[in-house]
Each structure stands twice: as C-alpha cells, then as structure tokens.
Amino acid sequence: MQHDLIAQARTWLAEDPDPETREELAALIEAGDTQELAARFAGTLQFGTAGLRGELGAGPLRMNRSVVIRAAAGLAAYLKAQGREGGLVVIGYDARYKSADFARDTAAVMTGAGLRAAVLPRPLPTPVLAYAIRHLGAVAGVEVTASHNPPRDNGYKVYLGDGSQIVPPADGEIAAAIAAVGPLAGVVRPEDGWETLGEEVLDAYLARTDAVLAAGSPRTVRTVHTAMHGVGTSVLTAAFDRAGFPAPVLVAEQAEPDPAFPTVAFPNPEEPGAMDLAFATARRAAPDLVIANDPDADRCAVAVPDPSVEGGWRMLRGDEVGALLAAHLVERGASGVFAESIVSSSLLGRIAEKAGLGYEETLTGFKWIARVEGLRYGYEEALGYCVDPEGVRDKDGITAALLVAELASVLKERGRTLLDLLDDLALAHGLHATDQLSVRVEDLSVIADAMARLREQPPTALAGLAVTSAEDLSRGTDRLPPTDGLRYHLEGARVIVRPSGTEPKLKCYLEVVVPVADAAGLPAARARGAELLAGIKRDLAAAAGI
C-alpha cells in the first residue's frame, strides 16, 4: 500500500508542469510522509455543478496546474463532442494564488484543442465573465475563482454559451471527459495563439450596468464599500461613478486585491468579524449604507445604521435584501417572473403574488435560478442577486449594489430608510424571520451521519411547533429534480437541511412567519420570531446530532 502510494506520487511528479508543486511533492516523497500523500492521492477532486473547488497543493485531490489542465482538456473534448469545434471560450480569473496561471493553462489547452480562447484583461469580477460569454457569442466560459473560500483554496467554474453555470447532465458528461484524459504529455498546450481581451469588454459590461436603474431616479445615497481583499473595487466604483452616485468611501485596508486576505478569517461578509473594518469605517464616515462584495464580487452584502444594535450598524440578511429589491422592482412596474431557490424566504412568493407576477422556486444555486423562463429577478439568501438577467445570467454583486443604492436614494428623498420598508413588508405579508444553522466540519462523515440520522428519525416537532410534513428531496418532487436535502414544514415555519455544494459544511435554513396586526405589534412579532428561530436551531441540532 505504502509502495503503491509512493509510486503513484512519483508518476504524478513526473508530469507536473509547476515547479512549486513539484518541489512540494518531492519533499513529501523524500520524507516518506504517507499520511499527507494519502490525503492528496486517495481520489480526485470531483467535477460537479460547481465545477472544481479545493485547497491548493500537489496531487489529484488538490487544486493545481495538473488538475486544471486535465479539467480544461476534458471541457474542450466535451465542447467538440457537442459540435462546438472552433468556438470561442472566454476565460476570467480572480486575484487568488495561481488564478492567472490556471487561466493561462486553460487558454493554452483550448487553443491546442482547436477552439478559440480569449482571456479577460486582468483579474475581474465573476459577473464580468458571465456577461462576456453572451456579449461575445462564446460557446463556453471558465472563471477561475474560489469566491469567498479560505485563502488556500481555488476553484474552476464552468459556464456554457447561454451564460449560465452548468447543470446536469452537462456536469456528468464533462466529468467523464476529464476522466478520459490520458497523460498530460498528450495534452497540446501551445505557448500562444489565444487572445487577451482589452478593456472594451469591461466597458461594455459597465455600459450595461446602467440598464438596472430607472431613468432619472435619485442617486444621492452615500456608501462605504469593502471589496474584502477581492477584485470588486475598481468595477464597483466605476459603475457608481457612471450612474452619478457619490463616490463610495473605501475600506482602505480591504480595497486592493490580496490573495492572503490578511484582515479576515474567512473573506465572506456573512462570517463573524468579516465586516468589522467596514463598520469602523462607517462610524467615521457616517454614510447611509455599507456595501460589501465577496472577493469575486458576485455577491453583495448590505448594512444599515441601527442605533439599537451594538456598534450602530446592522447587516441585513440576504433574505431581507432579496425582499427589498423585489419590492423596489414591483414599485418600478417590473414584469416577468421572480425566482428564488428553496432555501430562500417564502416572502418573495407573497410579494410576487400580490403584484400579479410569476413566481418560481428552484434548487439551490444560480445555475438553476438563471434558467427560469421569463426571469426578471432572482435571488438567493446567501447574498446573491440577479437583477439584470438579460445582461448577466448569474448573481452579480455590482448591479445589485447599484439597485440597492437606487432604492435607498428613493427612500431617502421620502425621509425613509430600508428598515422602514422592511416594516411595511412585515405589515403587508407577516413578519418573515430567517436564520441559518451552519456547521463547518473537518470530517465529511459528520455531515453524512447527520443526514442519515434525520432521515431515519425525522423530528416530529421543533421549538414546540408540530412538523406537518417532511420531504426527502433526494427523491425529487413534482416541481424539483432530486437533490440531497430534507424539507420540513411546521405550523408557521419551514426548515431545509442540506450539505453545502462548495464548502465542508452542513447548512440548515430556518424560516418562521409571525402575523402582525399593526405597527405597534412589530417589536413583539420580532421577539417571537427570534425566540422561535433559537428554539428550532437548538432542537434541530439535537435531532441531527451536531
């Protein structure tokens, strides 16, 4: 076994094109570190609907140039099998470690396979790549990013020619093509022959961002912005400037790309402590809003002044921003379909129904939301919003920030705030309070065990609320294809439990709906909502054994 492992590592080392990972692997072989080698060679990174994502390092279970070259070769073979020979593949990348190398390798493989390749001019937000695919008439796109994962991670996200992320069966077919790639020496990788795009593609994206705003709308709101050490600063500030908003005050420590993400434990606005520097900047600058993007700027977080909380600033939940943007679009006379994933608040459905608009619920992820026919607006509770589906069929943290700023400006002219509008929505539709129980694990068997336990012994009540129905989503429903998840409906509440598709996490999404008779009843309704959410979280953790 040990001999086989060393032999496998030596074979990998012989074809690894990257001096850095070669040195790393050679040292592990020399030291005879079979435990670490086993962790890297016990399988391969699996290509799924999120593409690839993993820790950087040598070996088939890590993200590295060898793995990326194989992924690119498999994607090229798939595209050619689909009759896309000679088609254009657009490649974007963020500012993480190795992202530029992975983008270059992808361009070389596509060129060598007889496709045309074009690489974005520099590290740019993921939505710019999603836009460029349709804008340039590409047959596919690749974005090298690990979004808001830890610094040592990177990833490889694949889009097809409609500009939306892959879904089954394409993911399985691409995975099979990757598995069929032989020795790396057989993958043709020329030194040149692909195009590096100019700034025109970014200019076209920025021109398109204007389309999300209403002509002549107020643009007065003052903001603080953090890019969370990612690639969002230059594009967001350019979009705000074009639109005529005051220039955002930047969180200086986090404004420039830095793959080490030195000021945050996890570069995700939802993680504890990630927004501390933004709030400190806001206390000095006294803006109307704080806007945060994640490192690849496809997500948008919003915080508002709130004297009732410690520090004076409160992060809005993704569900709250999702409902606010929906209400704003309804007031602007939007038509079409509003869509969200099953883990997001049911409030969107109520807003759409009252406005006489179509409404669809999808599986988790914008790969599903973007495919809804007639889509006008889609969102997901994890801070993702698609506000211009004709331009970007994916979540877009830049255009979402513009639309939030427009809404806040409209309300400001009326002497009102986003919190006032949330009160209006609670009075119109009931108080929809949401929360999440999220458990990060080292050992993935913990997640499998929790799911098995809940399937074998489903809870009959949570926080004193009876479970009225329990669905195992792995069997599919009349409206949803199968997915690994569980859904419980309770009296006045809903719970969904699922493994994360991109991180080693078990995620439980909780929602309670509390009726509110009048404005005077809002504080009590909020207290009741918080009490129920805490109780559901406690009882669900016990039921799952986590």
Side-chain angles (χ1 to χ4, degrees), residues 8 134 137 265 305-306 322 329 413 475 536:
Q8 198 181 350
R134 300 182 73 200
D306 186 346
L329 290 170
E413 281 211 341
R475 298 177 185 141
I536 292 172

Side-chain angles (χ1 to χ4, degrees), residues 304-320:
V304 294
D306 186 346
S308 72
V309 300
E310 187 181 345
W313 283 86
R314 175 165 90 80
M315 269 275 285
L316 296 181
R317 302 192 70 83
D319 284 319
E320 291 177 313

Side-chain angles (χ1 to χ4, degrees), residues 52-417:
L52 294 168
R53 202 177 284 190
E55 187 180 343
L56 290 164
L61 271 172
R62 297 286 184 268
M63 282 296 295
N64 51 63
R65 290 183 60 198
S66 297
V67 164
V68 164
I69 289 166
R70 288 181 182 282
L75 175 59
Y78 165 82
L79 291 171
K80 289 164 76 173
Q82 297 287 316
R84 304 299 192 183
E85 179 94 38
L88 175 67
V89 178
V90 190
I91 302 149
Y93 59 103
D94 66 12
R96 284 177 176 266
Y97 295 119
K98 299 285 181 185
S99 286
D101 293 343
F102 295 166
R104 178 187 167 84
D105 282 331
T106 301
V109 170
M110 295 301 162
T111 304
L115 291 143
R116 292 180 296 125
V119 183
L120 292 185
R122 53 190 165 88
L124 287 167
T126 294
V128 177
L129 181 275
Y131 168 81
I133 294 165
R134 300 182 73 200
H135 176 64
L136 298 172
V139 298
V142 171
E143 177 69 19
V144 180
T145 181
S147 188
H148 55 275
N149 275 39
R152 288 302 302 167
D153 287 6
N154 213 326
Y156 199 81
K157 190 185 284 191
V158 175
Y159 297 76
L160 293 181
D162 63 355
S164 55
Q165 296 174 52
I166 53 168
V167 295
D171 58 340
E173 291 166 4
I174 295 169
I178 293 169
V181 174
L184 284 193
V187 178
V188 180
R189 286 185 293 131
E191 287 297 311
D192 53 32
W194 57 89
E195 181 186 0
T196 299
L197 296 166
E199 294 293 314
E200 312 83 57
V201 68
L202 177 60
D203 292 341
Y205 167 81
L206 285 169
R208 178 79 206 186
T209 62
D210 298 351
V212 306
L213 302 175
S217 63
R219 316 272 167 96
T220 57
V221 79
R222 294 174 303 109
T223 55
V224 157
H225 176 256
T226 175
M228 210 63 67
H229 298 295
V231 297
T233 297
S234 63
V235 180
L236 181 129
T237 52
F240 270 55
D241 181 56
R242 283 181 64 99
F245 286 103
V249 175
L250 302 181
V251 179
E253 304 93 331
Q254 298 174 335
E256 294 304 315
D258 187 336
F261 302 104
T263 68
V264 289
F266 288 95
N268 178 355
E270 294 178 295
E271 293 282 350
M275 295 290 288
D276 288 356
L277 284 170
F279 292 156
T281 305
R283 284 190 283 274
R284 292 193 300 271
D288 302 302
L289 291 180
V290 172
I291 289 173
N293 291 124
D294 67 338
D296 68 327
D298 62 351
R299 297 168 195 247
C300 175
V302 180
V304 294
D306 186 346
S308 72
V309 300
E310 187 181 345
W313 283 86
R314 175 165 90 80
M315 269 275 285
L316 296 181
R317 302 192 70 83
D319 284 319
E320 291 177 313
V321 177
L324 287 168
L325 290 178
H328 182 45
L329 290 170
V330 165
E331 183 172 319
R332 276 182 29 183
S335 58
V337 178
F338 283 8
E340 64 181 340
S341 63
I342 55 172
V343 298
S344 306
S345 171
S346 59
L347 178 54
L348 183 70
R350 298 187 182 200
I351 291 170
E353 183 182 13
K354 188 170 183 181
L357 297 175
Y359 169 73
E360 289 287 336
E361 206 176 40
T362 74
L363 292 184
T364 310
F366 273 81
K367 57 185 176 281
W368 299 107
I369 293 170
R371 286 179 158 73
V372 167
E373 202 168 321
L375 181 68
R376 172 60 185 88
Y377 167 64
Y379 97 91
E380 191 155 72
E381 56 75 44
L383 311 181
Y385 315 94
C386 174
V387 300
D388 177 25
E390 289 307 306
V392 175
R393 287 200 179 172
D394 198 4
K395 54 187 177 290
D396 183 346
I398 306 297
T399 49
L402 285 171
L403 200 61
V404 167
E406 179 184 64
L407 169 58
S409 297
V410 168
L411 292 169
K412 187 178 177 181
E413 281 211 341
R414 300 172 186 169
R416 307 185 79 234
T417 68

